[in-house]
Amino acid sequence: MLFERKGIKMSKQLTQTQLDEFKEVFDLFDADGNGSLSKDELANVMHSLGMNPTNEDLEAIFIKTDTDLNNAIDFTEFLQWITNKVDITSKEDLRDIFQLIDSDGNGVLSHDELRELLNALRIDLSDDEITQLIQQADLDGNGVIDYNEFVQSEGLWTKIKLTVGVTHSFKEILKQYTQLAENPSAGFGTTMPLPYGKVNAKKMGYDVSQFPAQVWESSCMCGNSFSFGSVSKGETVIDLGCGAGADLCVAASLVGETGKVIGVDMTTAMVKKAEKNAALCGFSNIELIKAPFDTAKHKDIPIEVADVVIANGSFNLSPRKKCAFVQAFNCLKPGGRFYLIDVIREGSIESEAKKGSWCDCVTGAVPISKILELMKAVGFVECKHIGFPNYRLSDYAIAATFLAKKSG
Ligand SMILES: C[S@@+](CC[C@H](N)C(=O)[O-])C[C@H]1O[C@@H](n2cnc3c(N)ncnc32)[C@H](O)[C@@H]1O
């Protein structure tokens, strides 16, 4: 069918299935869920496509794309733009996409690689469904997908190709945080060295003598989650983007045996390390959930159980920021507190794009005003910017602390 809306004619023929797939990709980047992309949201799409747009580039796209001149790109306008950017009929683009999924670089896609990828893309499939997905594309029946089979694959595979093409930042995030969990001595950061480990934790004001060195070695906090709000005995704490669990252990020591601590992270290696660290410190009241924190209402993340939700350095990594704030709100009991520490952006997108990357906590960072706006938009009250921990990544990327409440 030829897609036509508001008098705009698409240059390419798109089927309804393809349209649905593009819509899902559009929704992924429509961080505030208002049905259109602002310049910031468009910049995020471009960054995850590996582009570094200047303000002039963004202006130029808006002039060409924003045909109804309302200063936002709606789905129809997005379609016109994106179909020229990710061409899943191009063998070159497909080769890049294939290589991104083939994380061990052995030239075939395995069940495990697909499982990891689908988790990162928030496509919820059981092991049986992944096996079926492989069978659909596995023309020679050897149980793995080679490049030629990948090129010919259709159905859900098309959505995977599109989504990976547009959102490969997730893959970078998984890679970066897997390495930090498994091999902390190899350093941290892709475009620049990032602060991490025991030295950074000490600088952020943690008492690093409290736990063994292993608890701190893969930590990468950008402030101290316990510096600006109290956590009391018997309370329940949820940490969204808990990493290797340093904050989980501190929280467990504060809530005591009558309290409970739940850590959520999408990187398997981090979840495993957090479990080990909890056991190493002898805490039996720490539970780990491997899940994305930014799908708003993940089935595995409990609702209305937390007195305190913390997120330390993790929300900037999500392109679905509004969903992340909704999830924080949903986790809290009425009257609960949200302690957020995150990297925020002080300068222009143009300066930032040149200085960092998404998984280095720079590109996805938003200004303080945007964080307060999102907090209020999802229902938090008493939303406050509290201060700035001593943590700076660039001239334009600096950590800030925030406190918000869910009314009782
Ligand atoms: C900068 S690290 C901070 C880790 C931890 N809070 C600490 O202080 O050490 C960010 C963590 O968030 C996780 N993460 C990023 N995006 C996520 C998402 N959408 N859902 C769940 N976890 C995510 C990463 O796997 C990583 O462990």
Side-chain angles (χ1 to χ4, degrees), residues 122 173 177 219-221 241-243 265-267 270 291-294 312-314 317:
R122 297 94 166 108
I173 291 172
Y177 289 100
S219 67
C220 47
M221 57 275 289
C242 63
D265 206 285
M266 70 175 182
T267 307
M270 281 294 185
F293 57 62
D294 53 357
N312 190 340
S314 52
L317 293 167

Side-chain angles (χ1 to χ4, degrees), residues 287-304:
E287 181 194 333
L288 267 302
I289 299 172
K290 184 182 137 15
F293 57 62
D294 53 357
T295 56
K297 235 182 177 179
H298 194 281
K299 63 178 177 27
D300 297 334
I301 307 178
I303 296 290
E304 296 210 343

